[in-house]
Amino acid sequence: MARRCFVAANWKMNMTVSQALPFASQLATLTGGEAAEIAIAPPFVALLPVGQALLSSGVALAAQNCHAVSSGAYTGEVSAPMLADVGCRYVIVGHSERRQLFGETDSLVNEKAKAVLAAGLCPILCVGETLEEREQGKTLELISWQLQAGLAGISHESPMVIAYEPVWAIGTGKTATSAQAQEVHAHIREQLRKLWKEAAEQVRILYGGSMKASNAEDLMSQPDIDGGLVGGASLQFVEFAAIVEAAKKATGHKQQRNA
Ligand code: PGA
């Protein structure tokens, strides 16, 4: 059985609620059907209204981050149970911007992933190397470490999505080639097999980093690339809709290959 491709939009710190509302009604018209799953991760303040706009659509709601603790004196933070309460199904954890700009460590990312699971939601756990790490030939070693640390103490029965996002490709217009990305995705799958045995086959591994309509189908048609975490290109309806179509085609290619 081919894994169903998954396209998740990461709006980052873009879109006010007033901008998000008309956009969300457009996004609610997208359909992935059996071939693609779609999720939108708006900023916290837009979660509730965007979630309401998506309510009767096939598009899921996701959050970009959460705190590791469920409630308490953590001024300015948002917890996983709060995200569950507004209708989120997914939470991105360990995005490279969180790691680099907000000092998130692998162990904090692990705590956050566990908090997301405890709230009954599915983490989208991000891993990825910087340009310097790639040039030093450390990519695969680093990814193994991020995965091991990020997934520590998490059972193979937990819902989980992994996103491989090479830091040098995020928002830079430089996409990893499909071969470069597939190499790392295959490595991630291999590490997951070591940890989780056959459960590894069900885990979707998304690619993120300048994914756009023109490269999405090629990337997602690779055997271990099961979708995309899309930043910049998710802010334009036509572009994002084309990526969803590419995901459907990619799932179709894989089903044919597996038949
Ligand atoms: P990008 O961002 O598509 O704008 O490169 C992807 C991400 O950071 O999730």
Side-chain angles (χ1 to χ4, degrees), residues 10 12 95 97 165 169-172 208-211 229-233:
N10 176 10
K12 309 191 180 186
H95 189 281
E97 286 150 17
E165 298 207 308
I170 296 178
T172 56
S210 301
M211 184 181 268
L229 182 53
V230 188

Side-chain angles (χ1 to χ4, degrees), residues 152-163:
I154 294 179
S155 140
H156 67 280
E157 287 170 343
S158 309
M160 182 64 63
V161 173
I162 307 290

Side-chain angles (χ1 to χ4, degrees), residues 46-58:
L47 280 172
L48 191 58
V50 167
Q52 277 161 354
L54 298 177
L55 213 52
S56 51
S57 77

